Amino acid sequence: MSDARAPMSRPALPPRRSVPAPPPRPESTIEVPAPTGIAARIASLQLNQIGRNPLDREPKPVAKSPPPPPPRRNAPSLPPRSTAPRRTLAEIAECDPQLAERLSRRPPPPPLPKRTTSSPTVPARRLPPMPSRLPTPPPEPEYEEPEPEPEYEEEEEQSDEGYQSQESESCMKCFDFSQVDAHASQFPRQNVASVRQLALDLTAPFASETEKARALFYWLHCNIIYDVEAFFSGNLSASTAESTLRSGLAVCDGYAGLFVSLAEYAGLQAHKVTGHGKGVGYAALAPGAPVPPESSNHAWNCVLMDGEWRLLDSCWGAGALMGDAYAQRFAPVWFTSTPSEFGKRHFPTDPSYQLIGEADGGPISWEEYICAPEEPLVYGDFDSQNFLRDLLQPATAEIQSGGWVSFHLFKQCEHMSRDEADNYVYFINAPDDSKTTLRVNAEGGWSANIYMPRGLAGDVSLNFVTSFDNRDAKGLSPEKFTSSIGRKAMAWQGMCKWRLV
Ligand SMILES: [Zn+2]
């Protein structure tokens, strides 16, 4: 596939380091970016914080520059890898920079078959534990209808209309990965010669590590099917990158393992992380319930991308279980999540893989993680409309009646348009079937304050108006919607749901 190496025309991504940064040292100081932009504005909001994890009260700013390295506490450093080649390269560079440059383009040597146990600095507890329970399959899709492939509608429109600023080019949340995804979809598994060749084919056109990683992430969605039979039978056999490539079947461990191998051949630094995932079968603990012992049922990845360690879950990104059937549905949120967003549903056995610094309240304890109150039920359209789960208010599934309730909604990042012309009407449907539109607030999101009389109980839903008068309803004004209820043909779709009690 020599043509795959032809450079593709594409927008700029974050500045790339010519040499991947080494894993952070234990002594690393933690620099925390001061809240700016949307975070600072949100911090000034009087948000409804009932029952919310105090760690969430100060939303994290969207990183625009490489954030600090993974936080270190008493935890060991990430396993140093490829140090020998890199030392050699440095030595070579002293006497022959050009040779060093050529060598640096070569992929690293193949990983040792049991490379997760190869680092002597890795403590025993870092070793992948045998699952104490079945691995966590992808979360149940919270969809009422099948989801189309990811759309980049908003970003494209922003580009066309000049909304996208320079700084947004380095924003993972709104970067347009459609060309990367299109490239990654051109290598069907059945035609792949080897893990190494696949890694090179997938990543060759891309200069940035973020795009390389995304190509691997998207390929896994297209080509590896969740092994539903193995999961439900409990008959889980060990996998290797090669065996996963050949079978096209994996549970979380197989996805994470193949990602690491592909990443290494592509010259990226990636680790497999094991721990607990709140996937299928997870239910929030009842308030006051005893804290269950820490357990491990899931695996994902920690990847160095353009100077920043990030977390991704290619298993959950690839699809989801619907009942006992697997739906191959792409979930890009598991590539773009910040560590704090990721940590809501992932708890690594080694806390250093949380990537949450002490200044940001990290590391999160098992108790904080597993006893977190139940969140509102969020549907896929919430994500596809580019809203950020972390900032949704109320943040808990239950809402108390007998007072005012504040609803707040924010886009994934501040580069995304909030103009009426680029958005739909968002409204709250109360149990009495009253409909209250959310209005743009001064903090860059949407809000509504609604009085919920005592005794009113039932579902409260957040919806967006999809069609108005048999046309797409984007750009409809809240006033027009409100005055047209019962007079015009309209359709709407739920984005999330609470329980009023
Ligand atoms: Zn952005």
Side-chain angles (χ1 to χ4, degrees):
M1 303 292 280
S2 57
D3 58 338
R5 292 164 189 264
M8 296 173 66
S9 107
R10 61 198 158 67
L13 244 204
R16 175 177 183 259
R17 294 191 177 188
S18 55
V19 178
R25 294 186 298 274
E27 309 79 61
S28 303
T29 53
I30 296 159
E31 296 168 25
V32 179
T36 57
I38 194 169
R41 293 199 300 277
I42 293 161
S44 69
L45 256 186
Q46 293 299 311
L47 298 178
N48 175 348
Q49 293 287 359
I50 298 169
R52 188 153 165 84
N53 185 332
L55 295 170
D56 301 332
R57 293 186 183 187
E58 294 264 331
K60 308 299 183 299
V62 174
K64 298 188 197 64
S65 57
R72 292 294 89 121
R73 232 177 162 181
N74 298 324
S77 61
L78 294 171
R81 301 200 3 262
S82 309
T83 49
R86 273 185 275 123
R87 273 205 305 275
T88 307
L89 270 182
E91 287 163 7
I92 292 169
E94 285 183 9
C95 45
D96 188 346
Q98 287 186 336
L99 175 60
E101 163 66 15
R102 285 199 302 278
L103 286 173
S104 70
R105 292 181 193 151
R106 292 173 49 200
L112 295 171
K114 298 192 174 180
R115 51 161 302 285
T116 51
T117 65
S118 64
S119 169
T121 65
V122 178
R125 68 193 180 90
R126 167 87 52 82
L127 301 180
M130 290 304 291
S132 54
R133 289 189 290 176
L134 290 174
T136 299
E140 293 276 5
E142 294 154 342
Y143 295 95
E144 282 155 352
E145 291 181 2
E147 187 89 1
E149 284 296 289
E151 293 175 18
Y152 293 87
E153 186 173 277
E154 297 237 1
E155 294 90 318
E156 281 165 15
E157 289 186 6
Q158 286 170 2
S159 286
D160 293 343
E161 294 166 30
Y163 291 126
Q164 207 161 12
S165 65
Q166 286 289 329
E167 64 179 352
S168 70
E169 288 181 359
S170 62
C171 173
M172 180 79 99
K173 299 283 193 185
C174 62
F175 187 81
D176 182 0
F177 287 106
S178 55
Q179 290 195 28
V180 182
D181 297 345
H183 173 74
S185 66
Q186 293 170 16
F187 302 91
R189 186 182 60 80
Q190 293 79 359
N191 300 345
V192 171
S194 67
V195 175
R196 177 178 182 277
Q197 190 58 49
L198 175 62
L200 299 179
D201 286 342
L202 286 173
T203 57
F206 307 113
S208 82
E209 292 166 350
T210 302
E211 287 167 299
K212 288 175 194 278
R214 171 67 173 222
L216 308 182
F217 183 85
Y218 194 78
W219 185 91
L220 289 166
H221 153 66
C222 297
N223 293 279
I224 304 298
I225 303 294
Y226 192 78
D227 195 343
V228 177
E229 192 182 320
F231 170 69
F232 283 110
S233 69
N235 185 16
L236 302 161
S237 50
S239 66
T240 64
E242 287 292 344
S243 71
T244 301
L245 177 63
R246 292 298 148 229
S247 69
L249 292 169
V251 293
C252 55
D253 194 69
Y255 282 93
L258 180 51
F259 187 96
V260 167
S261 284
L262 288 167
E264 288 187 333
Y265 282 119
L268 303 175
Q269 290 191 52
H271 306 288
K272 185 168 79 178
V273 183
T274 54
H276 186 273
K278 293 178 178 174
V280 164
Y282 166 76
L285 293 174
V291 181
E294 185 173 337
S295 58
S296 176
N297 62 2
H298 192 38
W300 57 94
N301 294 107
C302 178
V303 186
L304 183 63
M305 298 184 208
D306 302 301
E308 181 179 9
W309 286 101
R310 298 189 62 93
L311 301 167
L312 60 85
D313 186 335
S314 54
C315 176
W316 288 6
L321 283 180
M322 304 181 81
D324 55 2
Y326 180 70
Q328 203 172 354
R329 181 188 50 70
F330 189 54
V333 67
W334 296 117
F335 184 78
T336 59
S337 291
T338 63
S340 86
E341 291 158 18
F342 201 90
K344 295 284 178 62
R345 295 180 77 171
H346 296 76
F347 189 82
T349 305
D350 178 342
S352 64
Y353 281 119
Q354 290 180 14
L355 308 187
I356 301 173
E358 288 180 50
D360 291 328
I364 307 295
S365 71
W366 166 254
E367 184 172 351
E368 280 175 285
Y369 163 82
I370 203 68
C371 297
E374 184 184 356
E375 296 178 351
L377 179 59
V378 174
Y379 301 114
D381 276 322
F382 188 89
D383 297 326
S384 64
Q385 291 299 308
N386 288 317
F387 288 109
L388 188 62
R389 295 182 184 214
D390 258 20
L391 298 182
L392 175 64
Q393 297 284 336
T396 53
E398 281 196 356
I399 302 175
Q400 298 293 323
S401 65
W404 289 90
V405 180
S406 295
F407 295 86
H408 301 289
L409 188 62
F410 293 89
K411 290 280 183 180
Q412 292 253 346
C413 72
E414 59 196 290
H415 311 117
M416 293 174 175
S417 171
R418 287 168 293 278
D419 290 354
E420 190 173 284
D422 298 318
N423 284 284
Y424 293 92
V425 169
Y426 309 110
F427 71 90
I428 299 293
N429 203 78
D432 58 6
D433 210 30
S434 62
K435 295 173 176 53
T436 308
T437 55
L438 281 83
R439 303 302 181 97
V440 171
N441 61 35
E443 289 73 30
W446 287 261
S447 295
N449 286 308
I450 304 174
Y451 188 77
M452 299 288 184
R454 188 169 303 283
L456 190 63
D459 287 346
V460 173
S461 61
L462 167 65
N463 309 272
F464 73 111
V465 182
T466 54
S467 78
F468 181 84
D469 213 6
N470 299 313
R471 286 196 298 270
D472 184 277
K474 185 178 278 187
L476 179 69
S477 72
E479 295 81 7
K480 182 90 174 170
F481 164 73
T482 302
S483 65
S484 303
I485 293 172
R487 302 179 182 198
K488 293 276 189 184
M490 286 192 272
W492 49 80
Q493 191 78 33
M495 293 200 292
C496 66
K497 195 165 75 175
W498 298 263
R499 288 190 309 274
L500 186 68
V501 295

